[in-house]
Amino acid sequence: MRHHADIDLRQLRCLVAIVDEGTFTDAAIALGVSQAAVSRTLASLERALGARLLRRTSRQVTPTATGLRVVAQARRVLADVSELVREATSGHERVRIGYAWSALGRHTVAFQRRWTAAHPDTDLHLVRVNSPSAGLAEGACDLSVVRRPLDDRRFETAIVGLERRLCALAADDPLARRRSVRLADLVDRTLFIDRRTGTATPELWPPDSRPAVEETHDVDDWLTVIAAGRGTGVTAESTANQYPRPGIVYRPVRDAEPVAVRLAWWRGDPHPAHQAVLELLTELYRAG
């Protein structure tokens, strides 16, 4: 079996140039090499793959069936490589922060504005990814904001602040008339939770009196079922800031522990901006 290490990017670029330009002569001009070099490079690629990729007639060059498949794949590889180079060379110029439900609550706008003012050369992107690591494990972000402990040893976390727990109720729920509620007030209602990323679990209640739970998988679904009066939700204060909804009221849960807000990053490989993000978030939460 041939070893794939026999193939290099120069060969793939050459193949794509011949197909795009239509002739060996034009490909040579586009690549800035001699026509003989183009012929040699293509021949070495065909040898490495053990397949004919191009058919030459007197007028033009057309890909064989295998050639078409290889060209399509070569384009993807070359695009991936240029993305890899872009990532490596501009990694310091942007920082993507993932979150599962609500970014930083009422600090979200201040965080973005203060970041831009203090770090004009580093673009900040907030990315919503409903996964336990809020996009970190998936590679969708460089740092993430999580509201429950991450058991995953691959990541490190630091607490940046605390948020009160609120109860989300339909506006016509009798409890909505109160200024605040207790956990015991919610025992006879259905609690909608997101097991993957949510902060509310039946363990907030004593073992002998816990509400019935139903699962939702997204903040929009959660808001929709609660507004319809089908149950309640308990969530961090940030959700109320980020998702005010007609038909839903949020009330503090007096006797529930606050939610710790953590910044998470890859252990041993933090993003260059991670310290600055950590400091700004801690400062915003401390200022209240």
Side-chain angles (χ1 to χ4, degrees):
M1 196 178 130
R2 289 166 189 280
H3 195 268
H4 61 87
D6 296 346
I7 297 171
D8 62 38
L9 295 174
R10 198 174 42 98
Q11 293 167 322
L12 299 183
R13 284 199 187 93
C14 176
L15 172 67
V16 169
I18 299 167
V19 172
D20 287 350
E21 301 297 329
T23 69
F24 279 63
T25 314
D26 291 335
I29 293 165
L31 293 167
V33 297
S34 70
Q35 199 173 326
V38 170
S39 297
R40 267 200 313 277
T41 305
L42 177 71
S44 70
L45 178 60
E46 290 185 322
R47 238 187 350 268
L49 293 173
R52 284 290 302 280
L53 301 176
L54 299 176
R55 245 188 248 94
R56 291 194 231 187
T57 61
S58 54
R59 284 266 165 76
Q60 69 199 79
V61 179
T62 55
T64 61
T66 304
L68 283 173
R69 290 199 302 274
V70 172
V71 168
Q73 196 69 32
R75 288 189 201 282
R76 281 199 289 277
V77 170
L78 294 169
D80 283 346
V81 169
S82 61
E83 174 66 11
L84 178 151
V85 171
R86 198 185 64 74
E87 275 289 321
T89 53
S90 73
H92 295 213
E93 291 164 28
R94 71 166 183 176
V95 57
R96 299 164 304 162
I97 300 180
Y99 63 94
W101 273 46
S102 48
L104 302 155
R106 62 205 161 96
H107 303 303
T108 304
V109 171
F111 174 62
Q112 289 172 290
R113 289 188 171 167
R114 284 185 52 181
W115 181 268
T116 306
H119 307 275
D121 298 334
T122 306
D123 285 341
L124 175 72
H125 298 276
L126 295 177
V127 195
R128 186 156 88 88
V129 184
N130 201 30
S131 79
S133 68
L136 210 51
E138 294 77 7
C141 60
D142 308 299
L143 304 165
S144 71
V145 174
V146 292
R147 287 179 171 78
R148 59 187 205 182
L150 271 183
D151 306 330
D152 197 319
R153 300 283 308 142
R154 294 176 298 168
F155 307 123
E156 280 189 64
T157 62
I159 293 180
V160 293
L162 298 174
E163 291 174 346
R164 294 185 303 167
R165 280 186 206 267
L166 304 183
C167 173
L169 302 154
D172 58 358
D173 188 306
L175 285 176
R177 292 200 289 271
R178 301 200 194 163
R179 298 247 300 272
S180 65
V181 300
R182 291 181 178 280
L183 287 168
D185 298 328
L186 305 174
V187 169
D188 56 353
R189 285 171 169 69
T190 300
L191 182 74
F192 285 97
I193 63 171
D194 177 346
R195 278 190 208 284
R196 285 202 326 231
T197 62
T199 51
T201 69
E203 284 70 40
L204 287 173
W205 283 263
D208 53 344
S209 58
R210 286 178 174 165
V213 297
E214 274 191 46
E215 286 217 42
T216 52
H217 299 291
D218 185 81
V219 64
D220 277 313
D221 301 344
W222 183 80
L223 291 164
T224 304
V225 290
I226 293 171
R230 287 176 42 199
T232 64
V234 171
T235 187
E237 192 175 353
S238 50
T239 307
N241 294 113
Q242 206 144 337
Y243 300 100
R245 264 295 158 95
I248 285 192
V249 295
Y250 293 95
R251 295 288 177 261
V253 183
R254 274 208 301 278
D255 54 346
E257 289 284 303
V259 174
V261 183
R262 293 172 168 86
L263 186 69
W265 61 91
W266 283 92
R267 186 181 293 281
D269 186 24
H271 186 278
H274 111 277
Q275 198 57 44
V277 171
L278 195 56
E279 284 166 17
L280 179 52
L281 290 181
T282 307
E283 192 184 318
L284 286 167
Y285 273 95
R286 196 178 290 136

